[in-house]
Amino acid sequence: MRQTISLTENTLFKRLYYRGKKSISPQMVLYYMPNRLTCNRLGITASTKIGHAVVRNRMRRLVREAYRSEEQQCKVGYDLVVVVRSGMLNSNYRKICCSMRRMLTEAGIIKGSEEKL
């Protein structure tokens, strides 16, 4: 993830939850908001309702990899938080990637997505 850094501060997560826009899929929820920086910041959360630590960490790795595969097409200057939902447990990697691409396109974060909408 070359142009993306990790979002780690709790206040930034809360600000995105309350002020950011969201895009929803059965596997995950994407909260996004412009950040006026020259890079994107990505945070991933998975509740203990999803499963034990091994399961939650696997879901985070799958989300991070799905975002990494779409990162080259993404515009810079956004804060992103992905919340893992229980629907991701039964999904394979291809379904997660398609869901990530659809949500980023719907949010207008993928370059050239304005002309398609």
Side-chain angles (χ1 to χ4, degrees):
M1 295 194 321
R2 287 180 237 151
Q3 56 193 3
T4 304
I5 59 176
S6 293
L7 190 66
T8 55
E9 295 180 30
N10 190 27
T11 57
L12 296 175
F13 276 84
K14 286 182 180 179
R15 186 178 68 190
L16 270 168
Y17 293 145
Y18 293 114
R19 294 187 189 161
K21 296 179 183 175
K22 65 182 174 180
S23 179
I24 301 172
S25 77
Q27 292 85 16
M28 60 189 119
V29 179
L30 172 70
Y31 291 90
Y32 59 96
M33 192 166 88
N35 64 8
R36 299 184 194 171
L37 299 175
T38 58
C39 63
N40 289 339
R41 296 187 291 189
L42 176 68
I44 303 168
T45 61
S47 170
T48 55
K49 294 177 184 177
I50 299 298
H52 295 291
V54 174
V55 175
R56 293 193 311 266
N57 289 333
R58 174 156 173 76
M59 296 300 114
R60 284 188 201 108
R61 284 194 306 270
L62 287 171
V63 169
R64 198 174 299 119
E65 182 62 24
Y67 175 77
R68 190 197 64 77
S69 68
E70 300 297 330
E71 184 180 26
Q72 294 299 323
Q73 290 84 28
C74 288
K75 299 176 189 174
V76 294
Y78 284 93
D79 285 343
L80 308 166
V81 170
V82 177
V83 179
V84 175
R85 298 176 92 184
S86 58
M88 188 181 285
L89 294 173
N90 300 327
S91 300
N92 58 10
Y93 175 68
R94 187 181 335 156
K95 199 180 268 190
I96 294 169
C97 283
C98 290
S99 179
M100 177 67 75
R101 182 168 189 70
R102 185 191 62 75
M103 289 191 312
L104 289 171
T105 304
E106 184 179 300
I109 296 173
I110 291 186
K111 294 175 186 170
S113 61
E114 301 89 23
E115 294 87 25
K116 296 176 186 175
L117 296 177

